[in-house]
Structures are given as C-alpha cells and as structure tokens.
Amino acid sequence: MPEIRVTPLGAGQDVGRSCILVSIAGKNVMLDCGMHMGFSDDRRFPDFSYITRSGRLTDFLDCVIISHFHLDHCGALPYFSEMVGYDGPIYMTQPTQAICPILLEDYRKIAVDKKGEANFFTSQMIKDCMKKVVAVHLHQTVQVDDELEIKAYYAGHVLGAAMFQIKVGSESVVYTGDYNMTPDRHLGAAWIDKCRPNLLITESTYATTIRDSKRCRERDFLKKVHETVERGGKVLIPVFALGRAQELCILLETFWERMDLKAPIYFSTGLTEKANHYYKLFIPWTNQKIRKTFVQRNMFEFKHIKAFDRAFADSPGPMVVFATPGMLHAGQSLQIFRKWAGNEKNMVIMPGYCVQGTVGHKILSGQRKLEMEGRQVLEVKMQVEYMSFSAHADAKGIMQLVGQAEPENVLLVHGEAKKMEFLKQKIEQEFRVNCYMPANGETVTLPTSPSIPVGISLGLLKREMAQGLLPDAKKPRLLHGTLIMKDSNFRLVSSEQALKELGLAEHQLRFTCRVHLHDTRKEQEMAMRVYSHLKSVLKDHCVQHLPDGSVTVESILVQAAAHSEDPGTKVLLVSWTYQDEELGSYLTSLLKKGLPQAS
C-alpha cells in the first residue's frame, strides 16, 4: 500500500525552527531548515541525526526546499549543508536566494563576533551553501529527477515567500511555509489553485485568532506613536529587517507627511538599505498598487526615515526607531531597549510574534524585572504594547486556504499545541478530512490510494451538455462511455468512437423472457390479439404488427410460438436491448397478467 510519511524535526507543536521531513513514493524531501530564536545551545538547530547517524545526508535526501528567508526557516541551512554534510539541490525563489545570505551573515556576526559562540558556521560556509541553491520561479514545474517534481505558489508573508507542491506520480503534498491570506501595503495575498493534494502541511501560528480590521489596527498604532512623540517620549519598534519593517515604514511615512510631523524616524542601518534595494529589485513580487505607482514614485524611497546611528539613542527629545531583530533577543533593538526601558515616557511596540525565551516574549507576558547578562536586573518602566502586524494567516485565513486547495488530509505545524487542537477540530468538522498535529520527532503515516487520471473525449462531453444539464461541482454525475487504454493512458469515449478507433463491429445484446399463456388458437391469431391489446394499452409508444406475425414496441420484439409439450399453451418470446430494460420489464409483467377475452 503506497503511503506518505511526515516527521517534524522542528515546528512540531512549536513555533521555533521549521524543519519537516516528508517521504512520498520513495522520495525524501526536507521542507525548511530553520533555527530556534529562543535557544543559544544545541537545541537551536534541528536534530539531523534523526535522518541518519552514519553516512552523508545526500544519500538519504532527494532535495531541500526553503519556503522563505526568515531565520526560523533557513537559519540552520549552512550548518546542515557544510557542517553536517549535504551536497544535493536546495530549492528556493529568487528573492529568497538574494536575501537569505544577508540575514545569515548578519545572524552569524551577532552570534560569533558579538557573543563569541563556538561551533558555528563561517562566512565562507554561507557562500558555499548558497552555491547549492537552485532558484525557482512561481508556477514553474521543476523536475528534481525523473519522478519528483515541485511547483511554487505565491504566499504573501514576506518578499519571495512561497508555498510548494511536491509531486511524485499521482501522489502530492503541499507545504505552505508561512503565508498571509490578506494583502497588505506592500505584498499581495497568498494564492493556490484547487490542486487537491493527498496532504496539506500548513502553519498554524495564529490558529485561534481572528484578527480585527487592519485599518483599526493601523489607526491604533499611529495614535500610540503620535501620543508618545507629542509628550516627548521615544518609541522603539523592534522588527526584522524585511517584511513588517517595510509595511510599518510605509504607514509612518505617509502619516508623517500628512500630519507634517517633525520628530525624527530612524531605521537601524546596514540591513535595511540592502532590504529596500531588494524590494526595488523584486518589484513584481509586491502588490498591485506598488507595481502601478513604481514608475512615478518608489514607495521604498523614504523621505522622513533616516539611517540610525548608535549615538542617537542618547539624544534628548522624541524619536521613533525601527531596530532589528524583532523579538528583542539580541542586536541593536535590545541595546536601545536597555537604554530606554527605565523611562515611563517611552514606549516599545511589538508588532509581531515573539518566541518563548526571548526578551520580547517576557515583557509581553507582563514581566517588569528582567535578568540580563551578568546577573544585571533591568527594571522596565516604559510602556509595552503588542499590536499584531504579523504577516501570518489567522484562523479564518487557514480555513480559507484549506477550502481553496481541497486536500484529502491536513497536517498542522508551526503553532502551539493547545491552539492547534482547537483548529484541528474545526478543520475536521468543516471539511470532513483527517487533521494531524505531530510533535517533533513523531511520524505521521498516511496510506494513499492512487488516483488514475482519465481523459474524456470532447464529443462525449458535448453530448452530455446537449442534454441541458449544467455541470455542478457539488453533484457528481454519471457519465456513460467506453474506457480505452492506449500507451498507459486512459480515455473515456463514446461507444461509437471506440468502435471506430478499434475497427470493431457493434454487437447487440438482447434479453429474452418467456411468457406462458393458456390459449388454443393458432400462433398468428395469438399474435394479432397481443398486437391489439398492446396498441390499446401503450398509446404513447409505436406498436407495429409485422408481416412475419411478430409484434414490435420500440426496440422490443414479441413473437408467439407453440408449446412443445402442451398444445393448449402458447409461449410469448419477449426480447429487448439493455437500453429498453425498463419498457421490456413492464411489457413482460403486462403480458403475464394475460390477454383480455375476445368478444
């Protein structure tokens, strides 16, 4: 029995590092290769020894697919390919291929140069790893080998994010990575066709959340920033360099222009210039509005937002600073937070999800005394706000995608166990499909029944349409035809076309039934009585008396014959084709009741 096996090495009932192993029709694929932001020890990377304890990973994996450039999806890639050892192909979209090495290098600098961590990948390893990457275009079917093919779909979320369909023969799996079903100020909404995979593996970060109107959230965000700046406070907005950063920059830029505000807005340097450069480069991946106005004005060239210098953090007076990274777990955002945390005039706005173990998660949970490095205790007096500008699909969006793809089974990853449980029940109730939520290291095995595609001839479809019945996806209809197999392909054609193609003569199948009647008259007289009786009863049908003495009703033939042993009994032979099965049965039961007495 063919089967699909799925094992999360990361993101199983967790929003840490995404890394999922899929076995489909004998092929092994790794989906994403992320790192966990909440750990700085061995737990940071997935446990690749699960794949094999001896030998190179290349012998066990057919390919690796990276859905987008966020570090919880690609952060372990150089470690996996260069330190553990993998030489096979790594597939990702072009924007992901361009931005991934920048984020990996930035992350390496923080971990190695600033924190002095050992057993970490080098700059050269990042370069060597990226040489193994094969870029994929949207909706392009890529043949990994003779049997395995993959296809990318637009996922929204961040620049270059994609969902992937993995197909071997008639079996297929769709992996969503992270996606967003609502368009925003700089990206479009995720989209997939009705591909009906055997399995849909979807993220479930916001499994129980239905977000309020985006406009209300934006208004609230601008109000809080404006109020803080007006009272002379400083606003820190921790973001990741790409994604929400651009979204919120566009929002503040237009607000500052409209309100003619003078307080400076800064963005932590380096990464963002590069980020905006890639947004300009990959304009086709952004939304329609930005693409349309791009010639007149590039939305990513900001007038009010300037590069940030470390010395500015100590400057008096109001300011707004976007600083990386987004969860306050390291880097510039954490340094600024430490400086500003003690002043109640200031505010920190967390615009996205924070993983457990990060400073961001701690302050959102209400902690106001934080133990920092060197046993220092930091007292948080500044205001802490959480406003979800996260680019993940909410519960409504996840349900929408399941409805769009129409999978046979659903598997949830990248979410918290309790929230997943709720969504699992909802999916099973609404779509009547099995839904799974394995933990890390747990394997889900799905038996698959191979579907055999059958082509239908145009003539047969036209004949069906001529009956005036319009197709309805919710009401399957029976289609009668002849199944022909040629060169391992199946086609359903009309019986006339089949005979013509195969050069065969038509055989007609007739059913014959015997009806015994007590009658001493001759056969010809008997046939005449049958004709008169049927003529009077079947007024809507064509009843004929033929010269040879037989009677026809449509394609049904009735003949009278003498009984071989009883001269007082006559035998009526009633025969019909299978098309007239109903009329033939009715006629037989009518004649069995006997003929009316002759006057």
Side-chain angles (χ1 to χ4, degrees):
M1 183 80 173
E3 60 184 29
I4 292 171
R5 287 198 319 279
V6 182
T7 312
L9 300 187
Q13 298 179 13
D14 178 29
V15 189
R17 30 159 209 256
S18 284
C19 184
I20 296 130
L21 288 180
V22 172
S23 287
I24 172 170
K27 301 287 175 185
N28 298 316
V29 177
M30 184 193 278
L31 303 168
D32 280 335
C33 188
M35 46 129 324
H36 201 298
M37 301 288 194
F39 299 117
S40 51
D41 53 17
D42 290 349
R43 292 171 295 174
R44 174 171 43 208
F45 297 136
D47 181 6
F48 299 118
S49 67
Y50 183 92
I51 304 169
T52 171
R53 291 188 182 278
S54 57
R56 289 181 66 76
L57 294 169
T58 318
D59 304 333
F60 293 86
L61 289 173
D62 292 281
C63 74
V64 173
I65 293 170
I66 302 294
S67 63
H68 64 289
F69 58 64
H70 277 159
L71 292 175
D72 59 334
H73 292 260
C74 71
L77 201 53
Y79 171 80
F80 164 76
S81 71
E82 306 313 304
M83 294 170 82
V84 181
Y86 170 76
D87 294 322
I90 301 166
Y91 293 95
M92 55 179 79
T93 65
Q94 281 178 315
T96 307
Q97 183 187 25
I99 296 159
C100 217
I102 300 167
L103 297 188
L104 287 168
E105 179 55 34
D106 187 62
Y107 176 58
R108 188 203 64 78
K109 274 183 194 161
I110 292 171
V112 178
D113 300 352
K114 290 187 181 162
K115 291 187 181 174
E117 288 181 29
N119 192 27
F120 212 83
F121 49 79
T122 62
S123 294
Q124 189 55 46
M125 284 178 184
I126 296 172
K127 287 174 189 158
D128 293 342
C129 166
M130 294 312 289
K131 285 174 189 166
K132 296 167 186 174
V133 169
V134 181
V136 176
H137 297 290
L138 284 180
H139 305 250
Q140 170 201 6
T141 300
V142 176
Q143 288 291 149
V144 176
D145 58 29
D146 292 344
E147 295 164 322
L148 174 63
E149 61 180 52
I150 63 171
K151 187 178 183 178
Y153 292 94
Y154 189 78
H157 187 61
V158 291
L159 190 72
M163 303 189 258
F164 282 87
Q165 183 184 32
I166 301 111
K167 205 170 175 188
V168 182
S170 64
E171 289 177 31
S172 70
V173 170
V174 167
Y175 172 59
T176 66
D178 292 350
Y179 62 99
N180 193 3
M181 293 301 281
T182 46
D184 56 30
R185 282 170 184 268
H186 75 297
L187 294 173
W191 180 86
I192 194 163
D193 54 22
K194 214 175 272 305
C195 50
R196 298 189 175 99
N198 299 95
L199 176 65
L200 172 75
I201 302 173
T202 173
E203 65 131 319
S204 53
T205 318
Y206 289 103
T208 56
T209 310
I210 291 182
R211 280 200 289 268
D212 55 355
S213 129
K214 201 154 167 296
R215 197 149 284 179
C216 294
R217 253 176 299 145
E218 290 181 344
R219 204 165 48 231
D220 211 14
F221 169 77
L222 293 171
K223 186 174 171 237
K224 291 212 159 87
V225 172
H226 192 196
E227 282 171 359
T228 309
V229 167
E230 286 290 284
R231 65 167 179 261
K234 295 173 168 62
V235 182
L236 171 64
I237 306 167
V239 286
F240 288 104
L242 288 117
R244 295 318 84 201
Q246 281 67 28
E247 181 75 1
L248 297 174
C249 280
I250 293 171
L251 186 58
L252 275 187
E253 171 85 5
T254 48
F255 182 70
W256 245 240
E257 206 160 294
R258 197 172 73 234
M259 302 292 286
D260 195 24
L261 298 177
K262 299 290 179 257
I265 307 174
Y266 298 114
F267 208 122
S268 54
T269 44
L271 260 184
T272 310
E273 282 97 86
K274 279 182 181 169
N276 288 340
H277 164 71
Y278 284 112
Y279 269 94
K280 292 171 200 171
L281 193 63
F282 294 112
I283 278 286
W285 284 77
T286 61
N287 69 19
Q288 221 171 345
K289 189 181 172 190
I290 288 184
R291 289 203 303 272
K292 272 186 184 169
T293 58
F294 179 61
V295 184
Q296 293 90 35
R297 187 197 164 185
N298 184 345
M299 291 293 272
F300 300 108
E301 278 166 4
F302 303 117
K303 290 182 199 166
H304 298 272
I305 301 167
K306 306 282 184 287
F308 181 74
D309 187 290
R310 240 174 246 180
F312 295 170
D314 302 314
S315 303
M319 67 177 77
V320 180
V321 176
F322 287 96
T324 56
M327 298 186 193
L328 289 177
H329 55 279
Q332 205 160 43
S333 60
L334 187 57
Q335 286 167 16
I336 299 168
F337 173 76
R338 281 171 143 178
K339 284 187 176 179
W340 294 358
N343 189 338
E344 59 271 5
K345 263 189 185 178
N346 299 338
M347 180 183 280
V348 58
I349 297 176
M350 305 300 294
Y353 188 89
C354 288
V355 167
Q356 218 163 350
T358 59
V359 172
H361 187 274
K362 285 172 188 168
I363 60 168
L364 287 178
S365 308
Q367 243 177 282
R368 288 295 171 263
K369 285 194 172 152
L370 304 171
E371 197 177 309
M372 309 304 276
E373 286 159 25
R375 299 251 163 156
Q376 241 184 321
V377 174
L378 178 68
E379 196 174 345
V380 181
K381 288 182 184 170
M382 77 193 302
Q383 291 179 57
V384 177
E385 292 285 348
Y386 171 68
M387 287 185 192
S388 174
F389 283 95
S390 177
H392 290 273
D394 62 0
K396 196 170 152 196
I398 297 167
M399 297 296 277
Q400 200 183 329
L401 187 90
V402 175
Q404 235 175 52
E406 286 190 7
E408 288 172 20
N409 300 276
V410 176
L411 188 140
L412 303 177
V413 292
H414 202 284
E416 295 162 33
K418 273 186 190 168
K419 293 178 181 178
M420 279 182 170
E421 194 59 61
F422 170 81
L423 187 65
K424 176 183 186 292
Q425 288 173 1
K426 208 163 158 43
I427 288 170
E428 288 180 336
Q429 279 165 10
E430 191 162 324
F431 298 105
R432 306 205 177 286
V433 296
N434 288 328
C435 186
Y436 305 89
M437 41 172 282
N440 287 335
E442 189 185 332
T443 302
V444 168
T445 304
L446 299 170
T448 58
S449 46
S451 59
I452 299 163
V454 174
I456 298 177
S457 79
L458 196 60
L460 194 61
L461 280 175
K462 279 181 180 171
R463 193 166 76 184
E464 195 71 15
M465 294 296 285
Q467 292 175 17
L469 294 166
L470 290 170
D472 183 351
K474 288 178 183 170
K475 291 179 188 167
R477 281 225 313 276
L478 275 176
L479 205 63
H480 291 276
T482 306
L483 195 64
I484 296 179
M485 183 181 166
K486 201 174 181 183
D487 305 327
S488 304
N489 290 324
F490 288 96
R491 276 164 60 240
L492 192 68
V493 299
S494 63
S495 47
E496 300 81 23
Q497 193 181 336
L499 291 169
K500 199 174 167 187
E501 280 188 29
L502 301 167
L504 298 171
E506 187 176 1
H507 292 272
Q508 204 175 53
L509 196 64
R510 293 185 77 87
F511 301 94
T512 302
C513 187
R514 290 164 174 265
V515 178
H516 294 85
L517 292 178
H518 183 71
D519 198 319
T520 52
R521 292 181 186 83
K522 287 196 167 86
E523 288 83 25
Q524 290 89 333
E525 278 183 69
M526 176 77 170
M528 196 63 203
R529 285 184 66 207
V530 168
Y531 169 69
S532 304
H533 177 48
L534 295 180
K535 188 96 173 144
S536 65
V537 176
L538 304 170
K539 290 188 168 68
D540 295 336
H541 294 274
C542 176
V543 183
Q544 287 179 300
H545 188 210
L546 302 180
D548 66 354
S550 54
V551 177
T552 62
V553 182
E554 309 297 349
S555 75
I556 298 162
L557 187 68
V558 184
Q559 290 171 309
H563 195 284
S564 55
E565 291 164 14
D566 182 1
T569 301
K570 297 288 178 288
V571 180
L572 291 177
L573 300 167
V574 186
S575 79
W576 62 86
T577 61
Y578 78 94
Q579 288 97 327
D580 279 332
E581 170 76 45
E582 219 172 296
L583 186 60
S585 301
Y586 171 68
L587 219 65
T588 309
S589 59
L590 189 68
L591 292 170
K592 277 180 180 173
K593 290 174 186 171
L595 299 170
Q597 289 301 311
S599 54

